[in-house]
Amino acid sequence: MKFQEIKNNIFYCGLNDCDRRIFDELIPLEHGTSYNSYLVKGSEKTAIIDTMYPPKTKEYLKRLADNQVGKVDYIVANHGEQDHSGSIPALLEKFPNAVVLTNPKCAENVKSMLHVSDEKIRVISDGEEVSLGDKTLKFIFAPGVHWPDTMFTYIKEDNVICTCDFLGAHYTFSDVFAVESQELEKSAKRYYAEIMMPFRTMCKKYTQMIKDMKVDMILPSHGPVYTRPDFILDLYTDWTSDLPKNLVALPYVSMYESTKEMVDYLSSKLNEKGIETFKFDIVDDDLGDLAMALVDAATIVMGTSMVLAGPHPMAVNVAYLAAVLRPKAKFASLLGSYGWGGKLFDLIVQILSPLRLDLLEPVLVKGKPKSEDFEKLDVLANEIYEKHKSINLL
Ligand code: FEO
């Protein structure tokens, strides 16, 4: 298929992966993904910015050949992860005169992970510019969104920026330009939640930096190109803000409906008080939906049945995921039901401890909840209400 021109001799030469259903073997993809690669033709030199996921290398090389790409001088590696750098060795074989342009950290990754030799790499510094003739590539190091080796490539004369994974979305398309929709917004949020949220502070910094640059377009390495940068930048400004929303996330696993009954009761009491809730069945629901709720939630209440003498392993898994995603939530509690005894909450509290959440009194029940247990849930609902009020969410 013919390359789509993005602007003045800047072409999209990436590929869709419509069949990919899970990323990082962790969270399902609703729309597959794209691996974006950009061909930049200057009057003197030609560069390719980011390459391809290794299983797609053959298709990628064919696409370059079909579009008569006969000369590549520079291969820009914005990031060492293999969905973007994995095809560098094959490109170097096809274009033996090409040189990889990248930062020191990414150079180490490309050498160690892809076995690219030193003489094929030119290490550039932060802010350095490389001329293609009538176009100039400027490299902006952006460590932490999301690897230490990440950088952006700004094409000066065209005022467009290639942001690598930052500001991306797992989304496929036939036209590279973003059509703003709720579906795209949801995909971008899911992507942010899973990949960028652990680095929220850095995301906030680079969102503002790109806003200040007033670029004409954002070219990420997954998902469509944004011709109206404020669409994605405004979303990131919201998601990365320090203030959570008036939302309680309630992930739970319930073996005999007792824990579910407690979750349902607490949720309805919170709703009566004007607090939004997101109930999440850990066994059946899509982890991506929970990750998105964690972008906004002020409070996390985990519900778990007891298995043997501890929390349900599926609840432990979700607690671990919540801890590594580092959401901005401020408060937490736990509820659950046991049969014969053990420690239901200790392990989950320990796993969540890096989040430094203000822990509200948990509610532990033997078997089915009784009237005094529902009273404890009323107390918990009140406490959450007061906490949300204390940070001006109500
Ligand atoms: Fe899309 Fe960090 O790779």
Side-chain angles (χ1 to χ4, degrees):
M1 203 168 67
K2 204 166 173 285
F3 291 162
Q4 187 174 357
E5 187 169 22
I6 293 171
K7 192 176 184 184
N8 306 332
N9 283 327
I10 302 170
F11 299 88
Y12 179 74
C13 59
L15 290 169
N16 284 328
D17 191 348
C18 301
D19 298 329
R20 193 156 179 188
R21 287 287 161 258
I22 193 157
F23 208 85
D24 291 343
E25 303 306 315
L26 180 62
I27 295 182
L29 299 176
E30 289 185 313
H31 301 283
T33 193
S34 68
Y35 313 107
N36 297 352
S37 178
Y38 300 102
L39 181 76
V40 185
K41 284 186 181 171
S43 55
E44 292 168 19
K45 307 267 188 190
T46 296
I48 282 184
I49 300 176
D50 287 331
T51 67
M52 187 50 56
Y53 178 51
K56 291 269 185 187
T57 300
K58 207 170 151 190
E59 193 182 342
Y60 176 60
L61 293 179
K62 181 174 183 313
R63 184 155 151 76
L64 295 178
D66 288 349
N67 281 273
Q68 283 86 45
V69 178
K71 177 183 89 110
V72 172
D73 302 286
Y74 300 121
I75 302 165
V76 176
N78 275 332
H79 166 39
E81 198 163 11
Q82 294 198 35
D83 51 335
H84 309 296
S85 290
S87 298
I88 289 176
L91 269 191
L92 285 171
E93 210 168 294
K94 186 174 169 63
F95 303 106
N97 294 323
V99 172
V100 177
L101 298 177
T102 194
N103 62 73
K105 284 197 170 80
C106 189
E108 286 311 310
N109 287 337
V110 167
K111 280 191 275 184
S112 60
M113 296 194 301
L114 301 168
H115 310 153
V116 174
S117 60
D118 259 327
E119 65 271 15
K120 299 307 294 179
I121 299 175
R122 176 173 150 194
V123 176
I124 45 87
S125 53
D126 189 15
E128 188 172 336
E129 297 182 0
V130 170
S131 174
L132 305 181
D134 60 351
K135 291 187 190 296
T136 312
L137 305 180
K138 180 176 180 175
F139 305 103
I140 301 167
F141 292 8
V145 290
H146 63 137
W147 275 25
D149 71 354
T150 302
M151 69 178 192
F152 305 150
T153 301
Y154 176 59
I155 307 169
K156 278 176 82 173
E157 291 75 5
D158 300 288
N159 195 28
V160 303
I161 189 164
C162 301
T163 55
C164 191
D165 284 317
F166 188 53
L167 307 174
H170 287 312
Y171 212 72
T172 54
F173 43 80
S174 48
D175 183 329
V176 75
F177 297 120
V179 176
E180 294 175 17
S181 67
Q182 284 188 339
E183 209 46 42
L184 176 58
E185 180 178 330
K186 191 177 157 201
S187 271
K189 185 173 189 177
R190 175 181 275 252
Y191 177 98
Y192 167 80
E194 297 160 4
I195 297 168
M196 295 292 159
M197 185 160 65
F199 313 99
R200 185 171 63 87
T201 310
M202 299 307 282
C203 290
K204 194 173 174 168
K205 172 182 161 184
Y206 291 112
T207 298
Q208 191 56 51
M209 185 197 84
I210 295 173
K211 255 183 184 283
D212 293 343
M213 288 173 75
K214 299 196 185 315
V215 296
D216 288 346
M217 289 187 201
I218 290 171
L219 285 57
S221 57
H222 298 283
V225 165
Y226 294 100
T227 51
R228 194 177 70 84
D230 278 350
F231 173 75
I232 190 71
L233 293 171
D234 288 347
L235 290 171
Y236 266 65
T237 301
D238 177 34
W239 300 334
T240 60
S241 84
D242 294 333
L243 190 66
K245 293 196 165 60
N246 184 28
L247 172 70
V248 177
L250 287 152
Y252 68 92
V253 54
S254 185
M255 289 162 62
Y256 291 106
E257 297 281 309
S258 301
T259 300
K260 183 176 186 312
E261 202 178 334
M262 296 164 77
V263 166
D264 288 342
Y265 182 83
L266 179 66
S267 175
S268 68
K269 288 290 154 189
L270 291 168
N271 294 159
E272 281 170 20
K273 292 173 186 301
I275 298 170
E276 199 187 336
T277 53
F278 176 77
K279 292 189 283 184
F280 179 81
D281 182 332
I282 290 171
V283 176
D284 287 333
D285 294 343
D286 178 339
L287 273 177
D289 291 336
L290 176 63
M292 282 192 287
L294 293 178
V295 171
D296 299 318
T299 301
I300 304 167
V301 180
M302 284 204 65
T304 177
S305 304
M306 188 175 285
V307 171
L308 299 173
H312 195 291
M314 300 283 274
V316 172
N317 179 39
V318 163
Y320 177 74
L321 181 69
V324 296
L325 291 181
R326 298 174 65 192
K328 66 177 84 155
K330 309 278 186 208
F331 316 108
S333 190
L334 295 127
L335 49 83
S337 171
Y338 69 98
W340 48 263
K343 288 189 173 170
L344 189 52
F345 300 140
D346 291 12
L347 179 58
I348 291 177
V349 169
Q350 186 192 329
I351 293 169
L352 293 177
S353 63
L355 299 181
R356 298 182 182 183
L357 301 166
D358 181 355
L359 188 63
L360 313 179
E361 188 63 34
V363 180
L364 178 65
V365 169
K366 183 172 169 67
K368 283 181 72 63
K370 299 170 283 299
S371 59
E372 60 262 36
D373 301 317
F374 289 112
E375 281 166 22
K376 286 179 189 165
L377 292 170
D378 289 335
V379 171
L380 178 58
N382 275 336
E383 216 176 334
I384 292 171
Y385 174 82
E386 291 301 331
K387 290 291 184 186
H388 282 210
K389 231 167 104 176
S390 73
I391 56 169
N392 301 318
L393 299 180
L394 283 157

